[in-house]
């Protein structure tokens, strides 16, 4: 009887301790707690950012569903960060106050003290909190460098990467075009008639275009690839086939355009020697990312992790 009572008391104590731990932490990693207050504060900043960016109410069910996934990812990232910082501490990897001061001074020199403080205020952070986050990120960066420092890339690997990723080493198709921008369809129709009668496009553009950025250049936009202009304008420009072709009137949010094709350069694959440096850089990053990812998985698989927050991912517990 006495033994049963003691066992029951023991279970109650364990449950009480676990409940207190869950109130204080969102997770405990190798005995180190991730404070719930820190987690909730960071999550609130992220939620506010997405709500403003998507222009939606936090009460929208679709938004809530999306943020549940984001919340889960934030927790996973904090667990990984804790594991990495623990590992860095074991390896005696540190950053000095001088390194942190130098980094912050560079930011302040570039953007100014007022902009720096305003950015902190918008993020709901103190400079002391920022310094701590910066220190953690710099330590993790040093750890990553240590983990990946022995990666070797051979010329054969670089060549093979180039051959199997040629889409990354191509200059896209570009065109050179001129345009005349008018405020109304009636004006555009009158200009179109003048062009049909043979008037010089550049001369007319200088005379009537309301695009002040290109007017004095005869409407010349220079060379540009897809993805740089408003889609409606871009589609009409790239649909022109021959040099000298003039489009129909194209309406965009800026007004009414008439476009003339001046030149076209087809997509071109860079030769290997010209692309070698980029291929080597991309391959190194790919290898480093893979090695660092494997290292993190190993840390997770050998860690004791308790989670007190719903998560869509599974973390190994021992």
């Amino acid at each position: 009887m006495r033994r049963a009572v003691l066992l029951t008391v023991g279970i109650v104590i364990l449950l009480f301790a676990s409940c207190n731990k869950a109130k204080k932490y969102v997770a405990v990693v190798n005995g180190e707690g991730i404070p719930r207050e820190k987690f909730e504060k960071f999550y609130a900043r992220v939620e506010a950012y997405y709500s403003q960016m998507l222009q939606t109410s936090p009460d929208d069910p679709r938004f809530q569903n999306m943020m549940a996934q984001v919340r889960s990812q934030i927790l996973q990232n904090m667990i990984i960060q804790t594991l990495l910082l623990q590992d860095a501490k074991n390896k005696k990897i540190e950053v000095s106050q001088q390194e942190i001061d130098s980094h912050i001074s560079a930011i302040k020199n570039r953007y100014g003290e007022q902009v720096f403080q305003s950015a902190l205020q918008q993020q709901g952070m103190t400079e002391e909190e920022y310094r701590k986050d910066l220190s953690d990120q710099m330590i993790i960066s040093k750890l990553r460098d240590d983990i990946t420092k022995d990666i070797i890339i051979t010329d054969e690997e670089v060549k093979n990467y180039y051959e199997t990723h040629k889409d990354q080493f191509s200059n896209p198709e570009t065109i050179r075009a001129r345009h005349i921008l008018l405020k109304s369809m009636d004006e555009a129709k009158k200009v179109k008639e003048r062009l049909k009668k043979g008037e010089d496009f550049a001369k007319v553009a200088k005379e009537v275009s309301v695009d002040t950025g290109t007017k004095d250049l005869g409407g010349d936009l220079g060379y540009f690839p897809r993805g740089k202009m408003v889609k409606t304008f871009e589609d009409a420009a790239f649909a022109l086939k021959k040099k000298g072709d003039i489009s129909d009137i194209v309406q965009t949010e800026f007004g009414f355009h008439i476009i003339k094709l001046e030149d076209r350069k087809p997509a071109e694959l860079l030769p290997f020697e010209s692309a070698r440096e980029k291929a080597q850089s991309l391959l190194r990053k790919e290898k480093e990312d893979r090695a660092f990812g494997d290292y993190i998985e190993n840390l997770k698989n050998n860690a004791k992790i308790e989670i007190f927050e719903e998560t869509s991912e599974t973390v190994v517990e021992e």
Side-chain angles (χ1 to χ4, degrees):
M1 180 71 175
R2 184 166 179 269
R3 184 178 178 183
V5 171
L6 288 172
L7 182 60
T8 302
V9 171
I11 291 172
V12 170
I13 291 172
L14 286 172
L15 289 173
F16 182 74
S18 178
C19 182
N20 280 343
K21 205 188 288 186
K23 285 182 180 179
K24 191 173 183 180
Y25 305 117
V26 285
V28 175
V29 182
N30 293 327
E32 180 182 349
I34 298 176
R36 184 170 290 278
E37 183 181 359
K38 178 182 178 181
F39 172 81
E40 294 295 354
K41 184 176 181 180
F42 183 78
Y43 173 76
R45 292 206 306 265
V46 174
E47 183 183 46
Y49 168 77
Y50 277 118
S51 178
Q52 182 177 12
M53 183 180 72
L54 300 173
Q55 296 185 333
T56 187
S57 167
D59 297 327
D60 187 321
R62 291 172 298 179
F63 180 76
Q64 290 179 346
N65 184 58
M66 182 193 81
M67 290 310 299
Q69 299 297 315
V70 172
R71 188 177 178 90
S72 175
Q73 189 58 57
I74 290 171
L75 176 57
Q76 294 301 317
N77 290 345
M78 284 187 165
I79 288 171
I80 290 170
Q81 177 172 293
T82 302
L83 285 168
L84 291 171
L85 290 172
Q86 289 173 348
D87 190 59
K89 185 176 181 180
N90 291 335
K91 292 183 174 179
K92 302 189 185 309
I93 295 175
E94 300 175 335
V95 293
S96 66
Q97 286 303 310
Q98 185 177 358
E99 289 176 286
I100 297 170
D101 290 342
S102 177
H103 188 94
I104 291 177
S105 293
I107 295 174
K108 290 181 178 181
N109 288 337
R110 182 173 181 182
Y111 299 104
E113 178 72 30
Q114 187 175 352
V115 173
F116 176 73
Q117 295 298 334
S118 177
L120 289 181
Q121 188 175 9
Q122 288 176 13
Q123 291 295 315
M125 295 179 72
T126 64
E127 185 166 337
E128 183 180 353
E129 289 172 327
Y130 176 73
R131 291 176 72 90
K132 176 62 171 66
D133 284 353
L134 177 61
S135 173
D136 289 346
Q137 293 308 312
M138 291 174 75
I139 288 171
I140 290 172
S141 180
K142 284 188 176 184
L143 175 63
R144 178 188 169 99
D145 290 344
D146 183 65
I147 292 165
T148 60
K149 68 177 184 293
D150 294 326
I151 287 177
I152 297 172
I153 297 175
T154 66
D155 288 341
E156 184 179 352
E157 286 177 313
V158 175
K159 177 69 173 176
N160 183 62
Y161 187 89
Y162 168 82
E163 292 293 341
T164 55
H165 297 79
K166 286 187 175 179
D167 58 311
Q168 298 186 51
F169 306 106
S170 295
N171 287 327
E173 177 188 22
T174 58
I175 61 172
R176 181 184 173 193
R178 295 179 187 272
H179 84 134
I180 300 171
L181 177 63
L182 292 310
K183 292 181 179 179
S184 70
M185 177 62 80
D186 285 343
E187 290 175 305
K189 285 179 179 178
K190 290 176 183 177
V191 170
K192 182 74 174 174
E193 285 301 315
R194 290 176 61 181
L195 296 173
K196 281 182 179 179
K197 292 177 181 177
E199 287 194 51
D200 181 73
F201 193 98
K203 183 179 178 181
V204 175
K206 288 181 180 180
E207 181 185 333
V208 302
S209 181
V210 296
D211 180 1
T212 56
T214 64
K215 178 176 181 176
D216 292 340
L217 301 173
D220 193 355
L221 295 163
Y223 286 93
F224 57 90
R226 289 186 180 275
K228 295 294 184 182
M229 301 290 182
V230 175
K231 190 174 187 310
T232 307
F233 181 95
E234 178 183 281
D235 288 344
F238 275 86
L240 298 172
K241 302 299 182 184
K242 298 180 297 181
K243 294 179 184 178
D245 281 355
I246 296 175
S247 74
D248 291 330
I249 298 167
V250 180
Q251 184 177 0
T252 72
E253 60 262 44
F254 300 105
F256 298 85
H257 309 257
I258 302 170
I259 308 166
K260 179 184 178 184
L261 179 66
E262 292 287 349
D263 193 19
R264 183 186 298 271
K265 292 181 179 180
E268 178 186 34
L269 177 67
L270 291 173
F272 175 66
E273 286 306 318
S274 299
R276 179 194 292 273
E277 187 174 336
K278 181 180 178 181
Q280 188 172 24
S281 176
L282 290 172
L283 177 57
R284 174 168 292 281
K285 184 178 185 306
E286 186 178 284
K287 279 193 163 190
E288 288 179 351
D289 288 347
R290 190 184 307 122
F292 195 50
D294 290 344
Y295 192 85
I296 290 170
E297 284 304 308
N298 185 59
L299 288 177
K300 288 170 69 175
N301 290 335
N302 289 282
K304 181 179 168 98
I305 302 172
E306 299 173 87
I307 294 178
F308 307 110
E309 176 80 11
E310 289 186 10
T311 175
S312 61
E313 295 189 29
T314 301
V315 178
V316 174
E317 295 189 39
E318 290 190 349

